[in-house]
Amino acid sequence: MRTKNLLFSAMLMIAMQSSAQVNINVDVYNKGEVMSPNLYGIFYEDINHAADGGLYAELVRNRSFEDSNTEAVAWNSFGGATMKLVKAGLLNKAQAQALEVGFAGNGKASGINNDGFWGINAVQGRTYKLSFWAKGNLDGKLKVCLGNDKKVVAVTEILDNVTDNWKKYNAEFTCQENQPDSRLWITSEGKGDVVFDVVSLFPPTFNNRENGLRPDLASMLLALHPKFLRFPGGCFVEGQESPENAFHWERTIGPIEERNGHKNVNWGYRTSDGLGFHEYLQMTEDFGAKPLYVVNIGIWHGGFTPLKKIQPWIDEALNALEYANGPVTSKYGALRAKNGHPEPFNIEYLEIGNENNQPDQKNLSDKYYERFKLFKKAILAKYPNMHLIGDVAAWGTDNPKWNNPEKAELIDEHYYRSPAWFANNFKKYDSYPRDGQGIYVGEYAVTQGFGINGSLDAALGEAIYMMGMEKNSDVVKMASYAPIFANLNDLKWRPDMIQFNSSNVFGTPSYYVQKVMADNVGTHVLNVDINDPYTKKLMARTVAPEVSKFGFATWGTKASFCFDSFSSENASQISADTSKPMIEINGDWKSDGNIVSQTSDKEACIDIVNADIKSNQYTLKAKARKDGGAEGFILVFNYVDKDNYSWINFGGWGNTQHGLEQVVNGSKMQLASKHGSVKTGKWYDITLKQNGDSIKCWLDNELVFDTKLQQNTALGVFSTASYDEKTGDIIVKVVNTTAEANQTNINLGHYKAKSAKLISLSSLKGTNENSIDNPTNVYPMESSLSPADGIVSLEIPAYSLSIVRIK
């Protein structure tokens, strides 16, 4: 963290005018509940190329030529060389394909090169380890290089000749220059045919582990000081389409050439499983974290094993635990020792399923409680001290419940919401029953209204929620943000707290909130009384604009629309005027009389009526028809500009549900959803009635939504405190989500403060973010404070998380 003096802090605050006095009274002498020592961990899932092309340090993409049955993805031939996939005479049963290369032998170098994961980062002075398997006939030597079309920055020659039998070749070479867009080249001036498989290139790895982790990404995880690591997912655990696409731990251990890899259908690419069960366990040991393993209970996206036939899944879980925890005299404990780790890894936490307890039993939830009971009985019979975690509904409710007498020690809640939702749920756990069943908030993040990469507003909403968990950590025992990683070249999910390309990485404001919050968890909760002069006043603001437009939209589909009528007591009538051109934002729109149609399959196609509505109290009627495609049609309202509007999506999400969404400063958040679909070719009547922030909408005669628009951020000042018996510090956390800085007094009564340190994460705008080009735009700063007797006075910046550690 950076350190700055108070003068510099004051200079930064010139533009922020303090307008109110905030008093935070901390009850120092009455120590409350003991805070959970396992509160903050990390949740890892292979999404957005988080493993291959991310944390897993392998630099060669499609190293075993299994990514496609028809082409050698990421591989290119040059110099007259030829390539073809072969399926016979393979290295072993784990490999389904290899690559045969015909070297031209025309007196010039020919061969193949690999693109890596959107480039290979060649770093000056860094030594790279190469290995590959090959067989064939070649009347010359193989040479291996790193470089691009213009320049080679590292080169080595393979001394051994290629033979008729499979053989593993190893080499090392050191880069002479930096070149982040390099490729790996395998060349020869000789002529002949060589079959290659499992071509692997590693840079130096985190803790110098074989088959290890990318150091900069692993170091960012280590800096979080995680208490536990939940792995390997997420949806990645379950797989999709087939149980073959689920995570099967026993296929992910041992030499890399003996690992099958599998389709990561959930997130759209194949994984090598180079980052496998053993590597996950090694990672937890290197981080000083406890492993939390998630097991498949015989359910995958699109199907399930009948309850009566799930014993193989139970056996798979038990075998995994024996590999991790068993003595070297056991079958799988011996295998662990063979793989280089005789000592047990000691899994203490195991989650039975992932998001497999939805109310809809056909939706990843077949007989969950019965499955849980069978797994629990088998696991505790062999590992009686195992902490077992059960699933509750992961979507469709803000208050998931465990509704079965077969208790779980911990239940896993998941929340992906807006900043305002998290702030408004600051007191969520205050009223939870203290009946011994703990909560693990296994996945939570602002995914609505977060900006592009992840804004400060989003991070502050999460910080408020974390403070609420901390003050209730007698109930909330564990928590982990999700997801962690995203390769910027393949974003399947946003936002993610650590984002990267082949050569650079940055943390979002959410990453820094996770870090400073985890670094400053006390041991006992202290009661706080705060006067917040903002919340009631600012939350009374109306969200809906006074002047706006309306229009129509589609998402990956074709549709037609017809404006019917507009009525309002407080504004002039708006009538259809076909002579006045629409404002086309995106799409291929055509007009025919009073009907306007969108004729492409593009996403986010918007057409706006060029007329102002000078009120937010009105009734709007229109007609819409789905003409083709995967989804339905959309009514746009409260349109101010392309970054601020609302819409109702009928037949969205693959024509499975209706959704009311709001876009604020370019960030979308879902306010309401309901199961529903629309038919192709049928005209529907849409009625929208808006009264300020109140929204009612009918499709034909069915009331679809009756709800309200929301603030993106709940405005106010929030605070909690704790005591750290290890250091004697009092830790006070304050989040200010308003646009005004506050003069704040932390009152400690008769407690004599010796000194204090301020850790502050703030920016001039809540919408500010970090990026690959500006990685520290929002970054925590440290400064010193001078307490006076029992009072610590400071200015709390606008849009900020402030943590004060008082000696």
Side-chain angles (χ1 to χ4, degrees):
M1 270 180 224
R2 295 172 179 167
T3 302
K4 61 179 184 176
N5 59 38
L6 288 176
L7 178 60
F8 185 39
S9 297
M11 292 173 63
L12 283 179
M13 295 301 169
I14 290 175
M16 303 180 195
Q17 306 230 345
S18 296
S19 63
Q21 175 74 44
V22 174
N23 292 306
I24 300 172
N25 302 312
V26 182
D27 185 355
V28 177
Y29 297 100
N30 295 306
K31 296 181 181 64
E33 297 288 346
V34 174
M35 298 187 72
S36 170
N38 298 321
L39 194 56
Y40 295 128
I42 52 180
F43 163 56
Y44 180 88
E45 178 165 17
D46 189 357
I47 177 175
N48 308 310
H49 276 278
D52 293 353
L55 183 62
Y56 182 47
E58 173 66 77
L59 296 172
V60 176
R61 185 171 187 176
N62 190 21
R63 68 183 178 192
S64 296
F65 311 104
E66 309 288 346
D67 283 11
S68 168
N69 293 327
T70 59
E71 61 177 326
V73 175
W75 290 93
N76 317 283
S77 60
F78 67 93
T82 61
M83 298 189 306
K84 69 175 181 179
L85 295 172
V86 295
K87 303 179 187 296
L90 298 174
L91 177 62
N92 55 40
K93 293 182 180 180
Q95 303 302 321
Q97 297 179 157
L99 185 70
E100 182 178 278
V101 179
F103 290 90
N106 54 13
K108 295 182 181 180
S110 68
I112 55 176
N113 61 54
N114 184 267
D115 299 327
F117 294 92
W118 300 279
I120 292 175
N121 186 31
V123 179
Q124 184 178 15
R126 182 177 290 177
T127 298
Y128 295 78
K129 294 181 178 180
L130 171 76
S131 68
F132 61 88
W133 291 81
K135 68 175 183 177
N137 295 288
L138 182 67
D139 62 357
K141 298 285 188 182
L142 289 173
K143 185 181 290 185
V144 182
C145 313
L146 271 181
N148 55 27
D149 293 327
K150 297 179 180 179
K151 192 169 189 177
V152 172
V153 295
V155 62
T156 188
E157 188 173 71
I158 305 300
L159 299 178
D160 294 341
N161 292 323
V162 177
T163 68
D164 290 335
N165 298 314
W166 283 108
K167 179 181 177 180
K168 186 176 183 180
Y169 298 83
N170 296 281
E172 294 187 2
F173 47 84
T174 302
C175 284
Q176 303 305 308
E177 294 183 29
N178 293 326
Q179 194 180 82
D181 60 344
S182 288
R183 297 197 292 274
L184 173 69
W185 304 69
I186 302 176
T187 77
S188 179
E189 294 182 2
K191 182 178 178 61
D193 296 327
V194 179
V195 182
F196 293 92
D197 208 351
V198 197
V199 181
S200 175
L201 182 69
F202 270 84
T205 62
F206 180 73
N207 280 1
N208 296 314
R209 298 289 184 191
E210 289 294 324
N211 198 47
L213 308 179
R214 177 171 155 175
D216 56 346
L217 301 186
S219 295
M220 290 190 73
L221 292 184
L222 178 64
L224 295 173
H225 304 120
K227 298 300 191 299
F228 63 89
L229 168 64
R230 176 182 173 219
F231 71 93
C235 298
F236 186 76
V237 172
E238 299 156 292
Q240 189 164 313
E241 298 177 354
S242 163
E244 291 300 304
N245 297 326
F247 179 83
H248 296 281
W249 75 271
E250 70 280 5
R251 303 179 189 178
T252 73
I253 59 173
I256 60 173
E257 64 270 16
E258 296 177 8
R259 304 187 189 190
N260 304 74
H262 73 281
K263 293 181 180 179
N264 183 359
V265 182
N266 303 81
W267 303 119
Y269 53 89
R270 184 178 176 84
T271 175
S272 69
D273 283 328
L275 179 56
F277 189 63
H278 187 96
E279 286 76 24
Y280 284 119
L281 292 168
Q282 185 66 72
M283 192 194 318
T284 64
E285 187 174 88
D286 287 345
F287 291 165
K290 297 181 179 183
L292 191 168
Y293 181 47
V294 185
V295 299
N296 191 307
I297 60 172
I299 295 177
W300 56 92
H301 291 221
F304 56 84
T305 300
L307 181 66
K308 293 181 180 180
K309 297 182 179 181
I310 67 167
Q311 187 59 44
W313 293 99
I314 296 174
D315 293 340
E316 186 172 314
L318 290 171
N319 293 341
L321 291 174
E322 183 175 287
Y323 182 93
N325 295 7
V328 294
T329 54
S330 64
K331 176 182 176 180
Y332 292 103
L335 187 55
R336 181 192 68 240
K338 180 183 176 182
N339 291 334
H341 201 284
E343 302 81 10
F345 284 109
N346 294 318
I347 290 180
E348 298 178 30
Y349 291 85
L350 187 135
E351 183 165 354
I352 300 175
N354 171 71
E355 298 186 339
N356 294 142
N357 192 8
Q358 289 297 119
D360 179 3
Q361 290 295 302
K362 296 179 181 179
N363 195 352
L364 302 177
S365 306
D366 177 75
K367 298 179 175 63
Y368 175 77
Y369 290 118
E370 291 91 332
R371 292 170 188 262
F372 177 88
K373 183 176 180 179
L374 290 173
F375 270 80
K376 177 181 177 181
K377 180 179 179 181
I379 291 165
L380 293 184
K382 192 169 183 180
Y383 303 96
N385 296 320
M386 188 68 61
H387 302 287
L388 297 181
I389 303 170
D391 296 348
V392 289
W395 59 87
T397 177
D398 288 343
N399 298 289
K401 304 295 183 185
W402 180 270
N403 296 314
N404 196 270
E406 189 69 46
K407 293 297 184 182
E409 180 182 345
L410 295 158
I411 56 175
D412 183 7
E413 297 183 354
H414 295 179
Y415 298 109
Y416 295 108
R417 304 289 194 274
S418 68
W421 185 93
F422 282 107
N424 288 332
N425 280 272
F426 174 57
K427 297 182 179 181
K428 176 179 177 63
Y429 296 105
D430 291 5
S431 58
Y432 265 51
R434 268 61 180 171
D435 59 3
Q437 184 165 269
I439 303 297
Y440 166 40
V441 186
E443 299 179 31
Y444 68 96
V446 167
T447 56
Q448 302 169 20
F450 61 84
I452 299 172
N453 297 319
S455 67
L456 177 58
D457 276 339
L460 296 180
E462 292 154 1
I464 295 167
Y465 195 72
M466 293 169 77
M467 288 160 55
M469 290 191 287
E470 287 182 8
K471 68 189 179 77
N472 288 284
S473 68
D474 58 322
V475 172
V476 183
K477 305 294 186 180
M478 309 167 79
S480 50
Y481 179 97
I484 297 174
F485 285 121
N487 188 310
L488 292 166
N489 295 286
D490 189 31
L491 288 166
K492 305 291 186 183
W493 177 289
R494 289 186 175 189
D496 312 272
M497 69 173 174
I498 300 174
Q499 302 178 32
F500 57 89
N501 56 26
S502 64
S503 55
N504 294 297
V505 59
F506 71 92
T508 65
S510 292
Y511 170 81
Y512 292 110
V513 161
Q514 292 294 318
K515 174 168 171 45
V516 298
M517 290 289 285
D519 284 346
N520 294 281
V521 177
T523 57
H524 293 78
V525 176
L526 297 178
N527 287 329
V528 166
D529 178 60
I530 179 175
N531 73 306
D532 178 3
Y534 296 103
T535 303
K536 292 182 180 179
K537 179 177 68 174
L538 293 176
M539 286 303 291
R541 298 185 309 171
T542 300
V543 177
E546 287 293 337
V547 180
S548 65
K549 301 180 188 294
F550 74 94
F552 311 110
T554 61
W555 191 281
T557 192
K558 304 176 181 69
S560 297
F561 303 88
C562 177
F563 169 67
D564 271 358
S565 66
F566 177 90
S567 61
S568 172
E569 296 178 358
N570 301 317
S572 301
Q573 297 288 325
I574 292 183
S575 59
D577 183 357
T578 56
S579 65
K580 203 169 188 179
M582 302 278 280
I583 304 172
E584 187 174 312
I585 308 301
N586 184 34
D588 298 325
W589 296 87
K590 301 184 184 305
S591 297
D592 183 8
N594 63 345
I595 297 175
V596 60
S597 300
Q598 205 289 119
T599 60
S600 76
D601 292 325
K602 298 176 183 177
E603 295 182 349
C605 299
I606 300 178
D607 206 21
I608 299 300
V609 175
N610 193 5
D612 288 335
I613 300 175
K614 298 178 181 178
S615 171
N616 54 35
Q617 297 179 353
Y618 60 84
T619 299
L620 174 68
K621 294 186 176 183
K623 287 183 170 64
R625 180 187 68 197
K626 174 183 176 179
D627 297 330
E631 303 206 349
F633 42 77
I634 301 171
L635 175 69
V636 182
F637 65 102
N638 284 340
Y639 184 89
V640 176
D641 55 42
K642 64 183 180 63
D643 292 325
N644 295 275
Y645 58 89
S646 301
W647 72 18
I648 301 175
N649 189 350
F650 298 98
W653 296 270
N655 203 16
T656 62
Q657 61 179 298
H658 309 315
L660 171 58
E661 297 180 297
Q662 185 177 329
V663 178
V664 178
N665 295 326
S667 299
K668 187 186 297 180
M669 58 181 178
Q670 189 176 67
L671 303 182
S673 64
K674 182 178 182 179
H675 289 295
S677 60
V678 297
K679 296 178 180 179
T680 302
K682 175 186 175 181
W683 280 102
Y684 289 85
D685 291 318
I686 301 172
T687 302
L688 172 70
K689 186 172 184 178
Q690 179 162 358
N691 184 2
D693 289 339
S694 296
I695 304 295
K696 288 186 177 182
C697 184
W698 292 260
L699 188 64
D700 285 344
N701 295 318
E702 178 188 357
L703 180 63
V704 179
F705 294 118
D706 184 356
T707 187
K708 286 190 174 184
L709 302 177
Q710 297 177 11
Q711 300 279 358
N712 185 43
T713 302
L715 302 171
V717 180
F718 305 78
S719 184
T720 57
S722 62
Y723 171 73
D724 188 348
E725 64 183 4
K726 293 173 290 188
T727 63
D729 290 359
I730 294 169
I731 304 168
V732 181
K733 297 177 178 177
V734 188
V735 170
N736 178 12
T737 60
T738 75
E740 299 174 330
N742 302 287
Q743 192 60 43
T744 302
N745 285 339
I746 300 174
N747 302 309
L748 307 175
H750 298 295
Y751 183 89
K752 301 299 181 183
K754 295 180 179 178
S755 61
K757 177 177 72 173
L758 170 65
I759 303 163
S760 181
L761 184 73
S762 65
S763 193
L764 293 177
K765 293 182 179 179
T767 53
N768 283 352
E769 305 186 22
N770 294 334
S771 67
I772 205 77
D773 298 318
N774 192 357
T776 57
N777 185 41
V778 183
Y779 193 84
M781 301 285 197
E782 288 189 4
S783 57
S784 298
L785 300 172
S786 299
D789 295 325
I791 299 176
V792 179
S793 296
L794 70 158
E795 192 168 47
I796 300 294
Y799 310 114
S800 67
L801 164 64
S802 299
I803 300 177
V804 183
R805 290 196 70 111
I806 305 165
K807 290 290 182 186

